[in-house]
Structures are given as C-alpha cells and as structure tokens.
Amino acid sequence: MIKILIPEDIPSDNKGEAALFFGMIESLKVIGQHKITLFSLHPEKDRKYYQDKANLIDSTGITPQHMLDSLGSNWYKFTNYLKFFFKHYLFMLLYLFLRGSTTKIMRHPAWRAYIDADIIVMCHDSFYAPFYHGPLIIFFRLLAKPVVLYASTIIPPHPYQSTWKIRFRNWFNHFVLSRASMITLRESLSYDYIKELGVEQSGTQVECHADLAFILPPVGEKEIDRIFKAEKLLNERPLIGVAFSQRKLEFAFPDISSKVERQQKALVPIIKMIDYLTDELGATVVFIPHSIGPTPKVDDRITADWIQERASSPEKLAILRNDYTPNELKGLASRLDLTIGARLHFTIDAISQGVPSLLITHREDFRCHGIIGETLDQKDYIYNIEDIHEETLIPLVRKLWENRKEVRVYLLDQMTSIQSDVYQHGHLTKELIEKKL
C-alpha cells in the first residue's frame, strides 16, 4: 500500500480546487493500491466531500492560512507563516537525533503523516508559493521523501519588480525546484519558465500534461434533473451559464488605486453584456458559483447578486444558492448552450463537454492563457479584463454565439486526446514510485 501525502489545504468550498482534487484522485488510480492523506484548514466542511477519498488531518497551526480569503489580518498570516517555518525546522532537528520517536514530543498527527508517507504530492493549481513550498521541498528532501509538484502552474516573478527581486526569486526557485524529484505542469507557459531556470539540468524530471479537471466525471441526467428542480430552473433555450469572482474584478482598470472602484467600474460592462444575453438573445442566464466560501470575499453568489440587482431583466437571471459537488456542477454545465465567466474550472467543466465558452481573465494568468488559449487553441475566446468595455466584450460574445456550432464540434474532437493526456501525471508518478521505493 503506497502512502501518498498532500501537505496542503484544498478547500471544498472552492469547487475548482475540489475538481482538481477529484481529478488528482482519478489520475492516481494508475498507481494501484494506495492511501491518500490530505491536510485541511476547514475539516468540518471538507469532510463532507473528501472523507471517503482521503484521510483528513486538521492542519491548523501547521499549514499557513490562505492570503486571499480575508480570513485574519496580514500580521496574523505573517506570524502564522513564521510558526510554520520554525515548527518544521524544529521537527527536522529533533528528527535527526530521535527519528520516529520525535512524535512523542511533537504530537500533532501531521508530523506522523510526514514520517509515514512514501511520497509527497503537492502544488495543485497555481498554488506554488516559493516561501511555503520551497522550505517544504527542502524539508522533505532532508526526510528522504520523494516530492512531486503535481499538475502545477508555476508563475515567474512579476516583470515590473525590481531587477534584484527578479534575480533573487529566479535563483530561489531554481534552488528549491531542482530538489524536487519530479515536476508535472499543466500548461506550456510554466513549462517554458522552468526550462529557462535550468531545473531539468539538475536532474529533476519536468513534463507538461493537461489539467486534472478535464477527467472529473460529471453526474448523470437524473442528478442534473434534481438540481434543476431544486433550483427551479426551466429547460428554456438558450440557457447560458455565468460565473464571476470578486477577485477577478479587481484586476480591471489597474490604474485605479481602490479595489472597490475597480470592481464597480468593471461591473458596468458585465451588466451590459448580461442585458445583451437576456434582451437580445432571449437567454435565461444561470449564475453558477464556483466558490462559496469560507468567507464572503470568495463567495461568487455575492458577485451574482450585485449583477442581478442592476440587470435590466432580473427575472431572467437565476443564481444557484445551494452547495454542490464539482461533479454536480460539471453535469449541470452539459445542459448549457454557452458559458461566460472568470472561473477557469467553470470554463473547463463546459469546454470538456463541448460547450462553447468565453473566459474572462487577466493578461498574466498563466493558467487561463496556457490551458484554454494554448492547449485548446481558444485564444480568440479569452478576454482580458484590464480594459473591459462593452464595445469590445459584447461583440466577442456575439462572435462566439454565431460560431457556437463549429466551436462545439472542435472542442469535442479535442477531448479524447486531452483526457488521455491527463493520466500521464499519474503514470509518471507511478514510474517514480517504482524507481524510488
């Protein structure tokens, strides 16, 4: 029985991240008999969805809090990080002398999970953070545990940073990533960056394959009908799905200093676009939240409320209010005629079932431009939010609507090879386990 440890939080309230976790589980089936242990900062919520998939460990006090969920002050999160750092290196010092007996002193179940693990799998999504995962990679290297950065996006330093910051970040990334056993990426932009760093020349295996969410299995027709009934949705056509996050709106109009002002200004063309869908296309628009917590800051239903309150035909807008699994949301996506949104995995749900989709993102989002733009060759249907205006957004929606039949055929034609490619993450991990253990 291979023991796989995922030493990071994958919040089930974020349906995109949960979709990646379920995709990870699916891709790792090629390994054979194995057991997954997953850290959680919200085990009371995550247990509902993950308890039959993994052994959950409450990692509060071990894993640093997320920086973008507005949970706790920046000072709290900084001190939380310092505790993470010093606890891990105290454990390492004790382990050098006491080995397995270290857990008699440091009793949190996370420490035992570190000792028992056969392989470490981490850095889902664009979760790689140099000063969190970097020390962890060194930590696990000292514990003689093989480390896989699995289906990751690894973003280079921001080009507007000072030269010395860019050089330091690149040096540090090269130093720590070269000590991982293997890195699998999910888009070519990250792959190009890792090659530029010269990580492969240090002996770390680096490969690029498709995003894990492409193999998330959707629920069947009966379950989709149940959702329609629970949400009082009608099978009226056209049915268009929409998803917007508060954070993505903050990338609009970067010259404006206030985040609130950026959000409010970005909402204007988005609402005009929604009015175009309902009033000119005669569509029913369904807001499908891909994150509902743990705080209001990351609850997509709030953004949907902002839009519905100001739309010209609010009666043609529906907002999903209940908590659904990623599999249920993917099943629901199969009933849509079109999707428009700023959530990557909402878009992948739709595209992987042939639903034409417009993804709204920002210029430096490697995930969106790499996966949707490069891998799927849908560059024409990616819209950068920095200068969002109805004069450019609505014509692009119209173009996608007019080309929807051709786009559907193209997307469905790509899916077999893309879904097959996803499993390479698991096959490579299996080969590494056979080599190391």
Side-chain angles (χ1 to χ4, degrees):
M1 174 76 73
I2 301 298
K3 296 177 181 177
I4 301 171
L5 173 63
I6 305 173
E8 59 195 19
D9 179 57
I10 305 180
S12 58
D13 272 351
N14 185 310
K15 305 309 174 181
E17 293 202 50
L20 290 174
F21 178 58
F22 290 135
M24 186 185 300
I25 289 170
E26 179 67 24
S27 68
L28 289 170
K29 286 180 180 178
V30 300
I31 290 174
Q33 289 262 324
H34 65 276
K35 179 181 179 182
I36 295 174
T37 296
L38 172 68
F39 283 4
S40 172
L41 290 170
H42 302 282
E44 70 288 348
K45 293 184 177 183
D46 295 339
R47 198 165 283 115
K48 176 182 176 182
Y49 294 112
Y50 297 163
Q51 64 180 354
D52 61 335
K53 307 292 184 185
N55 171 42
L56 284 185
I57 291 179
D58 184 345
S59 61
T60 304
I62 303 295
T63 303
Q65 296 287 334
H66 295 296
M67 295 302 292
L68 301 175
D69 60 10
S70 295
L71 196 63
S73 66
N74 288 336
W75 174 250
Y76 164 75
K77 289 177 179 178
F78 176 69
T79 56
N80 196 252
Y81 172 79
L82 290 181
K83 289 176 184 175
F84 147 77
F85 187 88
F86 287 114
K87 282 180 182 178
H88 279 75
Y89 282 88
L90 174 61
F91 176 85
M92 177 53 60
L93 287 172
L94 292 173
Y95 186 78
L96 289 173
F97 296 100
L98 302 176
R99 311 307 288 179
S101 298
T102 303
T103 53
K104 293 180 180 178
I105 300 171
M106 300 181 74
R107 297 179 178 273
H108 194 288
W111 308 119
R112 173 50 61 184
Y114 286 155
I115 292 172
D116 291 344
D118 294 312
I119 188 167
I120 311 299
V121 171
M122 60 185 186
C123 295
H124 72 287
D125 203 27
S126 54
F127 201 61
Y128 171 75
F131 299 113
Y132 171 54
H133 291 100
L136 274 186
I137 291 169
I138 304 301
F139 174 80
F140 290 122
R141 177 75 176 253
L142 294 171
L143 285 178
K145 305 289 182 181
V147 178
V148 179
L149 278 61
Y150 198 85
S152 302
T153 284
I154 298 178
I155 301 171
H158 196 289
Y160 301 134
Q161 288 182 336
S162 63
T163 302
W164 75 266
K165 283 184 179 178
I166 292 174
R167 286 178 178 172
F168 175 77
R169 177 87 169 262
N170 286 338
W171 170 84
F172 186 76
N173 279 342
H174 176 270
F175 178 78
V176 295
L177 295 175
S178 297
R179 283 153 180 79
S181 305
M182 183 171 70
I183 300 171
T184 71
L185 303 162
R186 56 185 181 158
E187 34 73 26
S188 61
L189 300 173
S190 290
Y191 183 65
D192 291 343
Y193 174 59
I194 299 303
K195 284 181 74 76
E196 247 178 66
L197 289 179
V199 170
E200 287 179 295
Q201 296 166 18
S202 302
T204 299
Q205 185 177 0
V206 181
E207 293 206 18
C208 183
H209 299 286
D211 187 88
L212 297 169
F214 282 108
I215 59 171
L216 174 73
V219 296
E221 294 298 323
K222 287 185 179 179
E223 284 299 300
I224 301 170
D225 289 337
R226 182 187 62 77
I227 296 170
F228 266 70
K229 185 176 180 180
E231 298 289 347
K232 299 179 180 176
L233 297 175
L234 301 176
N235 275 306
E236 296 178 346
R237 298 294 173 184
L239 188 61
I240 297 178
V242 174
F244 285 99
S245 68
Q246 297 172 56
R247 170 146 175 80
K248 188 59 71 175
L249 298 179
E250 294 173 4
F251 285 94
F253 309 108
D255 292 338
I256 298 174
S257 58
S258 166
K259 289 182 180 180
V260 174
E261 286 183 36
R262 293 201 296 270
Q263 286 180 336
Q264 293 305 310
K265 189 173 179 181
L267 281 173
V268 175
I270 289 172
I271 291 165
K272 292 288 186 183
M273 177 202 64
I274 297 295
D275 292 344
Y276 165 77
L277 297 176
T278 57
D279 300 346
E280 293 196 39
L281 295 186
T284 298
V285 175
V286 184
F287 287 87
I288 302 176
H290 253 240
S291 178
I292 60 170
T295 65
K297 174 72 174 176
V298 288
D299 191 335
D300 292 354
R301 293 170 296 192
I302 292 173
T303 321
D305 285 332
W306 292 345
I307 295 170
Q308 187 177 45
E309 287 164 5
R310 294 154 65 177
S312 64
S313 303
E315 73 282 359
K316 291 186 177 180
L317 276 55
I319 303 171
L320 298 192
R321 299 290 181 183
N322 297 314
D323 184 4
Y324 295 105
T325 68
N327 314 74
E328 290 171 324
L329 294 179
K330 189 166 185 177
L332 181 63
S334 68
R335 294 271 182 96
L336 303 173
D337 296 296
L338 201 78
T339 75
I340 303 164
R343 288 283 185 184
L344 171 62
H345 292 99
F346 163 74
T347 301
I348 289 178
D349 279 354
I351 277 179
S352 60
Q353 298 173 103
V355 178
S357 299
L358 173 64
L359 178 59
I360 297 176
T361 186
H362 61 283
R363 293 187 185 97
E364 294 167 6
D365 193 331
F366 270 38
R367 306 172 315 146
C368 297
H369 288 284
I371 297 168
I372 305 302
E374 298 288 341
T375 304
L376 280 163
D377 194 23
Q378 292 292 287
K379 300 182 192 71
D380 288 349
Y381 300 116
I382 293 181
Y383 186 94
N384 290 319
I385 200 170
E386 283 88 342
D387 300 306
I388 184 170
H389 292 287
E390 63 185 275
E391 291 85 359
T392 52
L393 179 59
I394 292 174
L396 186 56
V397 173
R398 184 183 296 115
K399 176 184 174 183
L400 178 60
W401 179 251
E402 291 170 352
N403 295 335
R404 65 190 182 280
K405 291 180 181 177
E406 295 86 348
V407 172
R408 176 182 289 276
V409 170
Y410 171 80
L411 292 174
L412 290 174
D413 188 53
Q414 301 299 306
M415 279 310 116
T416 300
S417 61
I418 284 177
Q419 290 172 342
S420 175
D421 188 50
V422 177
Y423 286 95
Q424 289 303 310
H425 297 287
H427 286 297
L428 291 167
T429 303
K430 179 183 179 181
E431 291 172 10
L432 178 66
I433 289 170
E434 291 170 349
K435 194 184 303 179
K436 296 283 187 179
L437 301 183

